[in-house]
Amino acid sequence: MGRGGGLTLVEAHDLEASLRHAGVRRGDLLGLAVADDGTAAVAFGDGGRTAPAPGIAAVDETLRPRWVTWSQQTAQRLIADGVRLATGWDVAAVHRLLFGGWRADPGFAWARLHGLAPDDVPAAGLPGPPGQADLFAAASERAAAEHGPDEAAGDALDPIGPDGYLRAEWTRGGWADSPARLLAWARLAREAALLQDAALARQAGADTGVATARCESTAELLCAELAADGLPMDRTAAEQVLAGIIGPRPRGDGEAAAMRSARDSLVLRHAPPGVTADLRSPVQVRSLLAAAGLDLPDTRAWRLEEFRDAHPLVAALLEWRKAERIATTYGYGWLDEVLGADGRLRGAWTSADGAAGRMTASNGLHNMPAAMRRAVIADPGHLFVRADLGQIEPRVLAAVSGDPALATATSADDLYLPVADQLGVDRPTAKVAMIAAMYGQTTGHGGQAGRRMRAAYPVAMGYLDAADRAARAGRDLRTYGGRLVPMAGGPADAARTAARGRYGRNALIQGAAAELFKMWAVTVRARALPLGARVVLCLHDELLVHVPDDRAEQAAGLVGDCLAETAGRWAPGGRVRFVADISVVRCWADAK
DNA sequence: CGGTGAACGTA
DNA sequence: CGTACGTTCACCGA
């Protein structure tokens, strides 16, 4: 080996020394790519090295660079080798910040970054179109024939095609087959990161945008760890919770079917004689209700609720729906599938959804029924620090809008008390008025409380109105932290326009809250590590930290300190106070 | 077989 | 008192 765009590649036994010699310092962007076998390539400036994964860990500890990766997949691969990075720059995560949307694969991100038409990104599907690899080989051979072997090798080491797009052969994963290509992939990630950094710097609020990019990226490292570590769950306790709701675990398919029809009959016995229905079919349930004298447009729970006493069928149906949800989605099958033999519930995590940028999790980690929290129990010798942000949305509104009066209200533990005072209404009315303003009510017109809200908090209300107007007009929005919220045109009847307005104002609040939360989460991740504490769940405004029991109180204090630190960095000026409810518990259900 | 909408869990 | 997401199911059309 030894040729790669003028580079000398060595299996570096002292990666750190090489990097120090090259002048790499704390926080510098270093490209990082890891092959399936654990070989890592590190790109810096004009140089590069390959090294085994432990070398990366050593450098991370001593030099603490900011590792540039194409996606969370690199961190996942390193975690499998026991390597956890402190900070990162995740090209996919920053792409979502800059451009919005879900799609963030390297070929797409590279194209958008260079202003190339996204529709023409070479398809990287696996396996490629028939003969694609052969075509590439044939092209290389042609190049070799026409320009000599060096030119062909140059092509093979260049992920960028003549049209400026990344070659499909590389975006399919073809970079992992040689150290030289691995390094080329790492160098390109670094190049993309530098371009992203420059793009963020051109935006208004450049500092904020770069800070958000770093948090979003490090949140991606946290996501890889959440996926690997899982949420502690006691299998016996979980089965007890299930047994209390849907009965004991069925022995075999026959018993499962019998239990299912037994559940069904609890509803159908209330049906008029001779009438039956498949309760899982909304159409048939609607007919069933009609036969009982209830003619409804749909059978949603909120609509059925007011008819709960009109016919015994309704209450039975609502109960059936709850049990059916547990039985099908969060039942024994779910437990068997997602709860590991080590008592950890695992799913895939993403640091930002396609809309406002909240974290997402699969396998029910974000939407398991609250009753299952009884089974989320810390390991022996461990406890949970559970912390959730209080009234996060109005506090975030105060910060992002810069409304001085609303900022003053945030000094109260219960923000709605001073707001109610200010409006001259009671607390429940004040809360409804605030939430209606933030999310855009569809019923009523806000009334007196709404008008007083405009008078009392004109800056905050103006911020929301501006978001609503821009969204309705189809103009793109950006959150406080710089995330693009695309507002593509499309059909514009009155209902859709109003929905876009609500979406826009909600996205700016929900999105900013997500940014604050993630900054808090990655701060806790970093500061709590020396205590042996690990973040094991992120739930939009709630953190669950798993910690050895003799460090739990210390960790709880630290989580609060991290919020204060985060608030100061995220909303400079210190005018807005953020609060968290923090408790130390053995079981998630024991909190609050 | 893949896509869509209803329904409902969480925030 | 609105938005988001993930999951399962029935249903539709190929």
Side-chain angles (χ1 to χ4, degrees):
Chain A
M1 184 162 31
R3 183 165 41 76
L7 294 173
T8 300
L9 296 174
V10 293
E11 187 72 26
H13 295 290
D14 195 351
L15 182 62
E16 185 190 337
S18 312
L19 294 172
R20 281 191 194 281
H21 185 253
V24 172
R25 300 215 292 244
R26 184 185 175 91
D28 283 356
L29 295 176
L30 289 187
L32 176 63
V34 181
D36 292 342
D37 67 359
T39 302
V42 178
F44 52 95
D46 296 327
R49 292 287 185 278
T50 59
I56 303 299
V59 170
D60 192 51
E61 201 159 310
T62 54
L63 269 177
R64 177 81 97 78
R66 187 169 289 277
W67 301 100
V68 179
T69 53
W70 281 107
S71 75
Q72 190 187 315
Q73 195 214 321
T74 305
Q76 289 169 352
R77 182 63 194 79
L78 285 172
I79 287 170
D81 276 355
V83 176
R84 299 191 176 210
L85 307 176
T87 63
W89 185 288
D90 186 290
V91 173
V94 180
H95 166 82
R96 289 200 188 92
L97 185 66
L98 278 166
F99 297 100
W102 264 115
R103 189 175 171 190
D105 54 280
F108 187 74
W110 183 263
R112 293 301 308 270
L113 202 50
H114 289 80
L116 300 169
D119 290 346
D120 297 333
V121 173
L126 269 175
Q132 180 95 8
D134 294 339
L135 285 175
F136 182 82
S140 287
E141 280 170 23
R142 258 202 319 281
E146 289 169 20
H147 309 288
D150 279 356
E151 191 73 16
D155 262 12
L157 285 171
D158 190 358
I160 306 168
D163 52 6
Y165 290 94
L166 298 191
R167 301 176 197 265
E169 192 257 350
W170 283 73
T171 53
R172 263 204 303 275
W175 39 267
D177 63 1
S178 81
R181 284 159 66 93
L182 194 67
L183 182 55
W185 197 235
R187 295 186 71 176
L188 202 66
R190 183 171 177 276
E191 190 177 331
L194 292 172
L195 288 167
Q196 289 180 325
D197 194 23
L200 285 162
R202 283 194 299 273
Q203 277 180 25
D207 292 351
T208 310
V210 171
T212 308
R214 291 173 178 164
C215 283
E216 296 289 317
S217 297
T218 303
E220 207 70 59
L221 299 176
L222 173 57
C223 283
E225 292 165 9
L226 287 165
D229 294 342
L231 177 69
M233 180 177 274
D234 184 290
R235 187 180 307 272
T236 306
E239 300 207 341
Q240 279 169 5
V241 170
L242 288 180
I245 301 170
I246 55 172
R249 180 189 281 269
R251 304 161 192 273
D253 293 347
E255 199 172 306
M259 289 172 70
R260 202 170 104 137
S261 62
R263 281 203 308 273
D264 290 3
S265 66
L266 290 177
V267 180
L268 294 171
R269 66 181 173 163
H270 297 293
V275 177
T276 191
D278 179 352
L279 298 176
R280 292 152 195 84
S281 162
V283 175
Q284 292 188 38
V285 168
R286 196 170 159 235
S287 309
L288 177 68
L289 291 168
L294 295 172
D295 190 16
L296 303 173
D298 61 61
T299 73
R300 287 186 166 88
W302 64 266
R303 198 185 293 284
L304 290 177
E305 201 57 53
E306 59 181 299
F307 297 99
R308 188 182 269 279
D309 300 325
H311 196 289
L313 190 58
V314 175
L317 178 62
L318 289 169
E319 285 311 302
W320 178 89
R321 286 245 177 95
K322 275 194 185 313
E324 184 71 4
R325 168 68 47 181
I326 303 280
T328 55
T329 307
Y330 305 105
Y332 296 102
W334 171 70
L335 224 46
D336 295 343
E337 184 151 331
V338 303
L339 182 57
D342 58 353
R344 296 296 181 119
L345 180 51
R346 290 185 178 80
W349 288 75
T350 65
S351 71
D353 64 32
R358 300 215 294 195
M359 293 173 83
T360 72
S362 70
N363 286 350
L365 280 159
H366 269 177
N367 43 5
M368 78 169 83
M372 292 302 298
R373 294 179 188 187
R374 182 55 60 200
V376 177
I377 298 172
D379 288 351
H382 288 68
L383 290 166
F384 291 123
V385 175
R386 192 219 63 115
D388 78 300
L389 300 172
Q391 302 169 337
I392 182 60
E393 282 154 338
R395 288 172 197 273
V396 158
L397 173 60
V400 301
S401 68
D403 188 299
L406 193 54
T408 300
T410 63
S411 62
D413 286 350
D414 181 357
L415 168 142
Y416 291 117
L417 291 177
V419 170
D421 255 13
Q422 195 73 36
L423 303 186
V425 298
D426 61 9
R427 186 187 179 282
T429 306
K431 182 174 178 179
V432 167
M434 177 69 76
I435 289 174
M438 284 191 295
Y439 304 147
Q441 62 186 357
T442 54
T443 54
H445 289 80
Q448 191 187 42
R451 285 193 299 277
R452 290 185 183 177
M453 184 81 75
R454 300 196 161 276
Y457 308 112
V459 181
M461 297 303 117
Y463 181 88
L464 293 168
D465 285 343
D468 196 292
R469 274 197 309 276
R472 277 182 293 150
R475 290 199 300 274
D476 291 349
L477 298 169
R478 266 188 203 281
T479 64
Y480 178 74
R483 177 178 305 279
L484 185 73
V485 181
M487 299 296 314
D493 58 275
R496 283 173 187 279
T497 301
R500 281 220 302 259
R502 287 195 302 275
Y503 173 82
R505 63 167 69 201
N506 182 271
L508 293 202
I509 301 298
Q510 191 182 98
E515 286 151 15
L516 170 71
F517 176 81
K518 275 180 265 186
M519 187 180 279
W520 183 39
V522 300
T523 306
V524 168
R525 170 185 179 262
R527 303 271 186 273
L529 196 60
L531 302 182
R534 291 274 170 84
V535 177
V536 289
L537 190 72
C538 293
L539 197 48
H540 307 311
D541 66 354
E542 182 171 1
L543 274 178
L544 208 55
V545 184
H546 192 237
V547 56
D549 51 15
D550 58 340
R551 302 291 183 86
E553 287 301 331
Q554 201 183 342
L558 192 143
V559 166
D561 296 345
C562 287
L563 178 59
E565 178 185 342
T566 298
R569 285 172 52 200
W570 185 75
R575 299 256 9 248
V576 175
R577 178 166 170 252
F578 290 93
V579 298
D581 181 55
I582 303 172
S583 49
V584 175
V585 292
R586 202 174 83 81
C587 171
W588 191 14
D590 292 339
K592 261 214 279 208

